[in-house]
């Protein structure tokens, strides 16, 4: 009996070790190196000096940097909210469609991924170009003036971010909604709930897992955004991702870039840790 | 006042069509206050659609729905004093038993104290006090069903709709829940509209039954009326088993009894309460338990009793009774014999035995309409 158990365990280990080893070598070790470098002093020539310092982290608290941290948070937050706002009804109605239409809509959502991410963002640069067709149409409709610049603004960053990450919000919400028993909404209305009440009290709690996944799927890449603000954003829409790039490639201050990366990681891990720990806590309370 | 009591819920010319499929066809009937009214019929007969129209989950194409004197046809489901026990209960999986039952009152913003005491009352009624903090997934089928009933009844509906509420339970549990449903009805007194395909359920719990077929109501009556005096061959075949005879009236023996001529069967007598004339085509239904079966020539207690000779073609012994299939000329008759004496002391009738069968003229019932396809219902296994 015991031998069999060990054999089964061995098999489990054999299939788990390669991916774990991969993650350890190519993810854990580099992360630890980056965090270590964040505590090293830097030389003006771009070298990493010996010794330990907190200088890099103290520098982060200068007012210009605080502005950028804050901007990164609120751009990510607003983009996530907008994504959820559009993804919820989309996921809801997709789950109610017939199998055939569901497949078609799913395909339409996935099709953009067949084009390279960078090219899609360049497409936005063309669409929003001051000489572009959209600008021309909006001016002739009298919606914007000739001097309005649609590119290189914070709003543009949010627009393109929402465009990029919306499918990542729709898919988990759809997956959860597909498993939802829509008869429950009829039951809620039968018991006196309005359409909104049955949606908020019955539908939302039952797809909460999908909502959480959607939030993380959008929020995490948003916080680490680099290419989108770099290509369609202006000087006033710089995010942490851009700062890291600037520090690493232009200022050649690798310890500073590492410190930024560490902060970014903490920003992502903190809300996730909060969600997981509250869940564990409530489970313990229930016991 | 009395009229209002009889017409507590009125369906008036209700029709509903899905695409080209007429599911409910100009249906009109009314339900009295406090009664258990069953809609019964095979799947696809429109009974569930009628129930959903009553709940407001479906809008009728034509007609009106009047509840307690008020036209509710256009009211959305959340504004009707009507609640439903759904087929698979549709309990909210993220809520405990208490939260499920309190859902309606919370939405209606009852006083908190009232909610607590009412929920408590219904937990007692359905005997689930000790499971009140469990989630639906932790309950058995019967417990879930009781929660669904309490969740609906706590809103004090004028009508409680039950959509095949016992279909998901096994046979023993179904019978127990049927008794419990009956008890709850006695305690609360709410009018029940019960939808089922199971004639046994409908017969045992209902004050009145409406038998539906292809979007129409074939007959409305008490369980006994429906069983003993079916108007159509469909009703006769759907509710219980029966033997059909097709013939013509050939002699009016007296005011009450006529003789009927059949093709491929001896002439038989029947109670003719419809004053049909000679030469009229008639359809007759004789229930299997109304026919006697004996080895010896039966003692004739009435002069016009039908007495025929036959041969046993099939026998199914069921303990309390035996089902026989007897060949008489071109006909194959079903007969149920209830065993009221100790069978081991007797010489039971066996396969291939020659037997005498007999029934009184008033044991046959003349149908208004007959469709040959309805005989197929008899060959289907009854659930």
């Amino acid at each position: 009996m015991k031998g069999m158990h060990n054999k089964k365990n061995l098999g489990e280990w054999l299939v788990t070790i390669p991916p774990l080893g991969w993650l350890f070598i190519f993810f854990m070790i580099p992360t630890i190196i980056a965090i270590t470098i964040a505590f090293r002093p830097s030389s003006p020539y771009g070298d990493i000096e010996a010794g330990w310092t907190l200088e890099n982290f103290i520098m982060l608290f200068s007012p210009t940097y605080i502005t950028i941290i804050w901007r990164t948070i609120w751009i990510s937050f607003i983009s996530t909210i907008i994504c959820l706002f559009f993804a919820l009804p989309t996921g809801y109605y997709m789950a109610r469609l017939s199998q055939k239409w569901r497949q078609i809509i799913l395909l339409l959502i996935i099709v953009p991924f067949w084009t390279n991410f960078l090219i899609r963002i360049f497409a936005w640069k063309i669409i929003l170009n001051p000489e572009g067709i959209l600008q021309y149409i909006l001016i002739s409709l009298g919606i914007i003036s000739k001097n309005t610049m649609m590119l290189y603004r914070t709003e543009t960053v949010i627009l393109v971010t929402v465009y990029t990450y919306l499918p990542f919000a729709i898919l988990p919400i759809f997956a959860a909604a597909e498993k939802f028993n829509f008869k429950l909404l009829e039951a809620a209305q039968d018991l006196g709930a309005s359409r909104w009440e049955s949606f908020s009290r019955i539908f939302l709690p039952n797809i909460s897992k999908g909502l959480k996944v959607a939030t993380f799927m959008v929020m995490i890449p948003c916080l680490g955004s680099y290419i989108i603000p770099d290509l369609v954003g202006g000087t006033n829409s710089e995010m942490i991702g851009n700062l890291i790039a600037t520090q690493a490639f232009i200022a050649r201050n690798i310890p500073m870039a590492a410190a930024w990366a560490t902060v970014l990681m903490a920003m992502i891990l903190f809300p996730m840790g909060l969600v997981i720990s509250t869940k564990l806590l409530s489970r313990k309370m229930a016991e | 006042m009395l009229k209002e009591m009889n017409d507590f819920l009125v369906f008036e010319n209700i029709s509903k069509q899905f695409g080209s499929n007429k599911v409910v066809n100009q249906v009109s009937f009314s339900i009295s206050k406090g009664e258990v009214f069953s809609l019964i019929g095979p799947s696809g007969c429109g009974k569930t659609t009628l129930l959903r129209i009553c709940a407001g989950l479906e809008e009728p194409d034509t007609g009106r729905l009047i509840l307690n004197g008020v036209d509710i046809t256009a009211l959305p489901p959340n504004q009707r004093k009507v609640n439903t026990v759904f087929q698979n209960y549709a309990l909210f999986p993220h809520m405990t038993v208490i939260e499920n039952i309190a859902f309606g009152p919370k939405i209606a913003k009852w006083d908190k104290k009232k909610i607590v005491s009412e929920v408590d009352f219904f937990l007692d009624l359905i005997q689930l006090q000790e499971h009140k903090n469990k989630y639906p997934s932790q309950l058995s089928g019967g417990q879930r069903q009781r929660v669904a009933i309490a969740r609906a009844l706590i809103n004090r509906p004028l009508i409680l709709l039950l959509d095949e509420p016992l279909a998901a339970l096994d046979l023993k549990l179904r019978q127990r829940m049927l008794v419990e449903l009956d008890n709850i009805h006695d305690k609360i007194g709410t009018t029940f509209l019960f939808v089922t395909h199971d004639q046994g359920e409908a017969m045992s719990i209902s004050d009145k039954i409406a038998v539906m077929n292809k979007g129409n109501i074939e007959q409305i009556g008490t369980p006994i009326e429906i069983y003993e005096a079916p108007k159509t061959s469909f009703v006769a075949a759907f509710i219980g088993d029966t033997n059909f005879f097709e013939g013509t009236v050939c002699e009016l023996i007296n005011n009450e009894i006529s003789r009927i001529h059949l093709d491929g069967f001896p002439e038989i007598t029947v109670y003719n309460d419809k004053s049909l004339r000679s030469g009229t085509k008639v359809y007759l239904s004789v229930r299997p338990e109304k026919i006697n079966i004996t080895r010896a020539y039966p003692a004739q207690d009435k002069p016009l009793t039908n007495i025929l000779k036959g041969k046993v073609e099939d026998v199914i012994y069921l303990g309390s009774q035996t089902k026989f299939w007897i060949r008489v000329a071109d006909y194959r008759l079903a007969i149920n014999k209830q065993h009221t004496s100790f069978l081991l002391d007797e010489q039971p009738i066996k396969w291939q035995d020659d037997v005498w069968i007999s029934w009184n003229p008033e044991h046959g019932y003349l149908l208004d309409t007959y469709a040959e396809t309805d005989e197929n219902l008899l060959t289907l296994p009854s659930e």
Side-chain angles (χ1 to χ4, degrees):
Chain A
M1 258 333 258
K2 205 172 175 190
M4 252 177 76
H5 192 73
N6 280 341
K7 220 175 195 175
K8 197 183 149 215
N9 257 348
L10 189 73
E12 272 174 23
W13 277 110
L14 278 178
V15 292
T16 323
I17 279 175
L20 266 183
W22 178 276
L23 281 176
F24 184 76
I25 296 168
F26 297 105
F27 178 73
M28 273 309 275
I29 293 179
T31 308
I32 291 165
I33 292 173
I35 293 172
T36 321
I37 292 173
F39 293 95
R40 298 282 189 190
S42 64
S43 80
Y45 306 106
D47 292 329
I48 303 161
E49 304 268 294
W52 300 98
T53 176
L54 280 174
E55 191 65 27
N56 299 318
F57 287 95
I58 293 162
M59 291 254 292
L60 298 184
F61 290 98
S62 71
T64 29
Y65 288 159
I66 291 286
T67 318
I68 291 173
I69 293 177
W70 176 236
R71 184 189 297 137
T72 305
I73 291 173
W74 77 255
I75 286 181
S76 305
F77 186 73
I78 289 181
S79 303
T80 309
I81 296 285
I82 296 174
C83 278
L84 291 181
F85 180 81
F86 287 115
L88 255 175
T90 312
Y92 176 91
Y93 283 108
M94 273 172 71
R96 305 213 77 168
L97 287 174
S98 68
Q99 197 64 33
K100 183 187 134 201
W101 279 105
R102 228 185 254 181
Q103 302 293 343
I104 293 172
I105 303 279
L106 260 180
L107 188 73
L108 288 178
I109 289 173
I110 293 166
V111 155
F113 289 105
W114 294 354
T115 312
N116 184 280
F117 171 57
L118 264 175
I119 293 173
R120 281 184 284 139
I121 292 169
F122 265 102
W124 275 104
K125 283 188 88 152
I126 295 164
I127 293 168
L128 299 173
N129 198 283
E131 316 263 294
I133 184 88
L134 188 67
Q135 184 100 7
Y136 175 77
I137 292 169
L138 290 179
I139 288 172
S140 46
L141 287 173
I143 293 169
I144 59 172
S145 77
K146 253 191 181 130
N147 302 324
T148 312
M149 186 67 183
M150 289 197 293
L151 264 176
Y152 313 125
R153 303 164 65 125
T154 306
E155 293 93 323
T156 324
V157 174
I158 293 173
L159 172 76
V160 177
T161 304
V162 169
Y163 158 78
T164 308
Y165 296 115
L166 189 56
F168 295 108
I170 291 175
L171 292 176
I173 288 175
F174 163 69
E178 205 185 16
K179 288 191 209 106
F180 180 74
N181 173 10
F182 282 93
K183 287 255 178 244
L184 296 181
L185 295 184
E186 284 189 350
Q189 283 175 47
D190 184 78
L191 292 166
S194 64
R195 274 167 183 277
W196 167 246
E197 280 168 328
S198 50
F199 181 82
S200 61
R201 287 183 180 222
I202 307 299
F203 182 70
L204 287 187
N206 276 297
I207 60 147
S208 63
K209 262 189 196 152
L211 276 177
K212 268 179 218 153
V213 174
T215 308
F216 285 135
M217 291 287 274
V218 177
M219 190 78 131
I220 291 168
C222 272
L223 286 169
S225 266
Y226 157 62
I227 293 173
I228 296 172
D230 198 50
L231 290 182
V232 301
T235 43
N236 283 330
S237 35
E238 223 180 346
M239 291 168 73
I240 295 178
N242 307 95
L243 263 182
I244 295 173
T246 314
Q247 292 294 344
F249 302 137
I250 296 166
R252 295 185 60 78
N253 189 341
I254 301 293
M256 193 66 207
W260 276 114
T262 308
V263 166
L264 186 58
M265 198 153 54
M267 278 167 59
I268 291 165
L269 288 178
F270 179 69
M272 276 181 80
L274 208 67
V275 168
I276 292 167
S277 58
T278 47
K279 201 171 187 179
L280 286 178
L281 204 72
S282 66
R283 199 175 290 166
K284 224 170 213 173
M285 295 265 275
E287 277 169 16
Chain B
M1 193 62 211
L2 193 72
K3 185 164 168 19
E4 231 171 66
M5 293 289 281
N6 284 336
D7 299 340
F8 189 59
L9 175 66
V10 183
F11 289 79
E12 210 178 87
N13 286 319
I14 299 277
S15 296
K16 179 74 187 177
Q17 206 164 333
F18 293 116
S20 62
N21 186 13
K22 267 206 161 172
V23 182
V24 176
N25 196 6
Q26 296 277 325
V27 164
S28 298
F29 65 97
S30 53
I31 297 173
S32 303
K33 192 169 183 171
E35 75 181 357
V36 178
F37 190 100
S38 290
L39 281 171
I40 175 170
S43 56
C45 72
K47 56 188 192 300
T48 298
T49 306
L50 266 183
L51 182 114
R52 288 174 60 83
I53 286 171
C54 190
L57 298 168
E58 218 75 71
E59 214 178 314
D61 297 334
T62 68
R64 297 196 305 160
L65 194 66
I66 294 153
L67 176 60
N68 208 11
V70 183
D71 187 337
I72 60 163
T73 321
L75 279 186
N78 54 337
Q79 285 169 36
R80 297 183 181 201
K81 288 288 289 169
V82 170
N83 291 109
T84 311
V85 176
F86 289 88
Q87 187 167 5
N88 291 309
Y89 318 136
L91 296 180
F92 305 129
H94 62 298
M95 295 184 187
T96 60
V97 169
I98 285 194
E99 288 165 339
N100 263 286
I101 296 175
F103 184 80
K106 269 188 192 155
I107 291 284
K109 298 198 170 63
W110 287 10
D111 177 57
K112 276 220 172 91
K113 270 185 192 158
K114 193 183 167 198
I115 295 179
V116 171
S117 70
E118 283 289 288
V119 169
D120 201 54
F121 170 80
F122 278 96
L123 280 171
D124 279 337
L125 185 77
I126 60 170
Q127 294 159 30
L128 283 183
Q129 279 288 7
E130 56 197 294
H131 303 289
K132 61 184 178 187
N133 290 318
K134 284 190 180 168
Y135 287 92
S137 58
Q138 297 167 300
L139 300 177
S140 71
Q143 290 168 337
R144 280 180 214 176
Q145 214 242 356
R146 292 192 294 221
V147 175
I149 292 169
R151 185 180 70 170
L153 279 177
I154 197 170
N155 305 290
R156 303 283 167 181
L158 295 175
I159 305 256
L160 181 73
L161 308 176
L162 299 118
D163 184 10
E164 302 259 11
L166 308 175
L169 305 176
D170 61 59
L171 185 67
K172 272 268 158 69
L173 198 54
R174 213 182 299 169
Q175 285 165 350
R176 226 177 57 211
M177 282 311 299
L178 210 54
V179 175
E180 236 168 275
L181 260 182
D182 209 26
N183 288 341
I184 289 173
H185 179 257
D186 290 345
K187 276 186 199 148
I188 308 283
T190 311
T191 311
F192 280 23
L193 176 56
F194 188 85
V195 160
T196 178
H197 67 275
D198 186 307
Q199 41 123 344
E201 278 173 22
M203 300 277 271
S204 53
I205 199 175
S206 314
D207 296 307
K208 263 197 184 146
I209 296 178
V211 184
M212 287 192 75
N213 183 26
K214 293 177 189 148
N216 298 301
I217 290 188
E218 297 246 337
Q219 189 173 356
I220 298 179
T222 64
I224 295 178
E225 282 167 1
I226 296 275
Y227 185 79
E228 297 290 343
K231 281 189 177 147
T232 67
S233 56
F234 177 81
V235 174
F238 190 76
I239 309 285
D241 299 328
T242 196
N243 297 292
F244 286 123
F245 298 92
E246 185 180 346
T248 44
V249 178
C250 62
E251 184 194 350
L252 300 174
I253 298 169
N254 57 36
N255 281 343
E256 289 180 333
I257 294 174
S258 305
R259 193 180 303 282
I260 287 170
H261 171 81
L262 302 100
D263 288 334
F265 200 77
E267 286 183 354
I268 53 175
T269 54
V270 63
Y271 182 81
N272 177 358
D273 61 341
K274 293 170 186 172
S275 54
L276 299 168
R277 293 201 199 146
S278 231
T280 319
K281 199 155 197 185
V282 288
Y283 305 101
L284 181 66
S285 147
V286 184
R287 296 286 187 191
E289 73 281 3
K290 300 281 193 288
I291 306 178
N292 282 319
I293 177 166
T294 48
R295 279 173 182 284
Y297 190 83
Q300 205 171 338
D301 52 344
K302 281 189 182 170
L304 291 164
T305 303
N306 297 296
I307 300 176
L308 308 164
K309 202 170 183 331
K311 200 179 198 89
V312 179
E313 281 197 340
D314 279 301
V315 188
I316 299 177
Y317 174 64
L318 294 168
S320 69
Q321 56 173 306
T322 302
K323 283 177 181 261
F324 295 98
W325 279 268
I326 309 294
R327 169 67 56 184
V328 180
D330 289 355
Y331 280 68
R332 188 175 140 93
L333 303 185
I335 296 172
N336 291 355
K337 186 180 165 73
Q338 192 70 29
H339 302 305
T340 51
S341 56
F342 193 61
L343 212 57
L344 279 177
D345 293 345
E346 286 178 22
Q347 219 188 356
I349 295 164
K350 290 197 293 287
W351 184 59
Q352 291 292 328
D353 280 357
D354 287 314
V355 290
W356 291 99
I357 60 168
S358 61
W359 73 92
N360 289 336
E362 53 267 31
H363 285 162
Y365 190 82
L366 289 176
L367 304 167
D368 289 349
T369 60
Y370 174 79
E372 220 154 272
T373 50
D374 292 335
E375 287 204 35
N376 298 336
L377 288 169
L378 293 173
T379 59
L380 295 174
S382 56
E383 273 184 76

